[in-house]
Structure formats: C-alpha cells, structure tokens
Amino acid sequence: MPQRRAITGRSQEPRARFAEELRLLRHGRGVSLRGVAEAVGWDASQFGKMENGHTLGGPEIVEALDQYYGTSGMLLTLWELAVADPTQFREQYRRYMILEAEATSLWHYAVSAPPGLLQTAGYAREALAVGWLTGPELEQQVEARLGRRQLLEGEAPPPFRVILSEAVLRTSLRDAAAWREQLAHLAEMAERANITLQVLPFNAGPHGLMNTAVMFLRLPNGRAVAYSENDLRGELVEENGSVELLQRRYDAMRDLALPPAESREFILRTLEEAPCEPSI
C-alpha cells in the first residue's frame, strides 16, 4: 500500500505533531510563553518544554490550553495520541507496547521492581536513570512509562493481576519520599476493582520464575502472549507451548502468594517501616 501523502506538511509523528500544534496556536494568537502562562496559570518554562517536545505535560494543563485556545478537545486528542504512541518507547519495547494497548487482560510477575503500569514518576525517574538515561531522553521515557498507566483507567479498564516478589518491597529508592509515595501508590492500586495484587513473601521458597519478570497478555482474538525481561533484554514469547509453560509456572507461584487482602496489609506495614525524610 502506498504511503499516505501528508497534505498539511505537518509532522505525522504524534509527539512532534502535538508540540508543533502548540507552537502554531501560540504564534497564531501572537502571545509569548509568559503571556500564555499568565492566562492559563502554569509556569512559562513548562510551556516551552512542551513546545520543544521535551515533555507532553499532564491532562490538566492540556485541558487548560484547549480551553484557552478554543480548540474544542483537539489538543487533548493530540495529547492522548502522543501519550499512547509506541514509537516514543525504546525500539526493543515497541512491539510489546502495541500488544499491551490491545490486551483484554494482563498478568504480571515482578522480580525486583514494580511493573511499569504501577510505577510513580519518582520511581520511574530513578529506575530509568540507573540505565544511564539523562536529560530530555530521561524525561521522555518517564512520561512514556507514566502514560501507560492510562491503560488501567477509564470506564472499562482491563483486569490486571500482579504478583510482587517481596524483593520489590525491600528494594527501596535512594529518595525516601519518592519510595514512600511508591509504596502508598501500590496500596492504593490494590483497592482498584480491576486490579488484583498479591505479594510473594521470601519464605514461600523457590519457584519456577525466581529470576524472570514476566507479563502475560490476553489479546482480543483469545490468544495469549508473554513478555519476559531481565536487566539486559526483553523477549516477546508468542509460541503457544512456551507461553503455556510460563503460565503453568505462574499459576504454581500464585498459589504460594499471600491473598490480596493480606498482601495490601503487607505493603502498608512496609510503608510504616519505611524511613521518612530527616527533619531539618
């Protein structure tokens, strides 16, 4: 099929298109970044970063801009497309992200870190920085990871079952406040109707996925795929026999995990034990 010709001459990449439209709208109004900031109520530097494509901003700021420019939801639509665009993720993850967005249900086992769908901004930033990301690339990847959380929101979010190894709750961040925020977020998400969260304690002993973080996706056609990951690489597993083997190991491990109510209590106890920022 021949590639569609871009009639407007504007970018066809969602993130770049969103930034481009922001610039065009502001120039069309003949106002400065400071003028927009004074009218809308956010810092001018935030708008500058959005127009340069360094950040997408959040839905609140985009809604405010949509009202200011009178674009009747167009800016919010472009923002949603940019947030969901798989090309913003690093190349090795893009195929998985496309399938994740289509999934009708998801199961996850986390070895040492909360799943991306349940991470806070503070956790994502520190975790991604360990992988030597810095500057605008770091901030873009943080936003991309946080954007995935929209999958679990809305009117009919897919069921999400997650099992956390106790190691996830014992591997704290360097930033004590960010770590407490992450633990509180996990406890809050555990109360969502579409989320089933369990903790696998250390005393559960060995199991078949001790060194493997894995996500299962049930696709609209009923087929299941798996994605396994370690610190160096991730692998999308689509062969039925391999997926079934991983699922059997997951089911056996789930039988060792604490029930959801006890798991949430476990997280809350960990939060109580977590250090606070030292007083000044």
Side-chain angles (χ1 to χ4, degrees):
M1 178 182 294
Q3 185 174 4
R4 184 171 65 86
R5 183 170 61 91
I7 298 174
T8 64
R10 299 178 186 175
S11 175
Q12 302 299 294
E13 192 273 311
R15 191 182 183 99
R17 179 61 173 269
F18 177 67
E20 185 178 12
E21 291 295 339
L22 289 176
R23 294 192 300 270
L24 289 170
L25 287 166
R26 183 173 60 81
H27 292 162
R29 277 285 182 97
V31 295
S32 65
L33 289 170
R34 186 179 299 276
V36 175
E38 290 175 353
V40 178
W42 269 268
D43 188 83
S45 63
Q46 174 75 4
F47 295 117
K49 291 176 182 177
M50 292 171 70
E51 290 189 9
N52 290 326
H54 293 161
T55 180
L56 291 173
E60 297 84 3
I61 191 172
V62 178
E63 287 178 347
L65 287 171
D66 201 58
Q67 292 180 7
Y68 173 68
Y69 289 122
T71 48
S72 303
M74 181 269 287
L75 275 181
L76 192 59
T77 297
L78 290 176
W79 178 83
E80 291 174 341
L81 291 172
V83 168
D85 179 27
T87 63
Q88 69 186 305
F89 297 101
R90 306 182 86 179
E91 186 174 356
Q92 63 265 39
Y93 304 126
R94 291 177 186 172
R95 165 77 172 149
Y96 169 79
M97 295 305 172
I98 292 172
L99 295 176
E100 181 183 80
E102 300 174 350
T104 58
S105 61
L106 310 92
W107 307 268
H108 187 84
Y109 171 59
V111 174
S112 59
L117 289 169
L118 298 181
Q119 289 183 13
T120 60
Y123 192 99
R125 183 170 290 106
E126 189 168 318
L128 289 167
V130 172
W132 310 107
L133 293 179
T134 59
E137 185 181 6
L138 172 60
E139 294 308 313
Q140 178 178 338
Q141 290 303 308
V142 170
E143 282 195 349
R145 183 165 294 185
L146 295 182
R148 292 170 59 198
R149 301 195 308 188
Q150 292 192 49
L151 181 68
L152 301 179
E153 300 172 357
E155 295 183 358
F160 180 41
R161 175 182 289 278
V162 56
I163 301 174
L164 304 178
S165 166
E166 184 176 340
V168 173
L169 305 177
R170 302 300 182 193
T171 308
S172 61
L173 296 174
R174 296 183 181 90
D175 185 328
W179 177 236
R180 290 180 61 84
E181 181 185 15
Q182 176 63 71
L183 290 173
H185 182 67
L186 289 173
E188 179 184 348
M189 293 298 100
E191 293 189 294
R192 293 275 188 94
N194 64 308
I195 297 177
T196 303
L197 190 152
Q198 294 178 261
V199 173
L200 183 71
F202 288 142
N203 61 17
H207 56 85
L209 293 173
M210 290 179 61
N211 302 308
T212 305
V214 62
M215 176 77 92
F216 299 95
L217 306 175
R218 179 72 63 183
L219 302 178
N221 61 6
R223 186 169 64 96
V225 299
Y227 183 80
S228 62
E229 187 175 35
N230 58 34
D231 288 336
L232 296 178
R233 58 175 300 215
E235 178 185 5
L236 184 63
V237 182
E238 300 186 74
E239 195 273 319
N240 290 339
S242 298
V243 173
E244 184 178 351
L245 174 60
L246 287 170
Q247 284 184 318
R248 286 204 300 269
R249 293 185 179 188
Y250 184 90
D251 290 342
M253 178 188 60
R254 183 177 59 190
D255 293 339
L256 303 173
L258 298 176
E262 292 182 30
S263 294
R264 186 172 184 275
E265 291 176 2
F266 192 107
I267 294 170
L268 290 173
R269 287 198 302 271
T270 307
L271 176 58
E272 291 176 357
E273 297 165 2
C276 300
E277 291 284 4
S279 59
I280 298 176

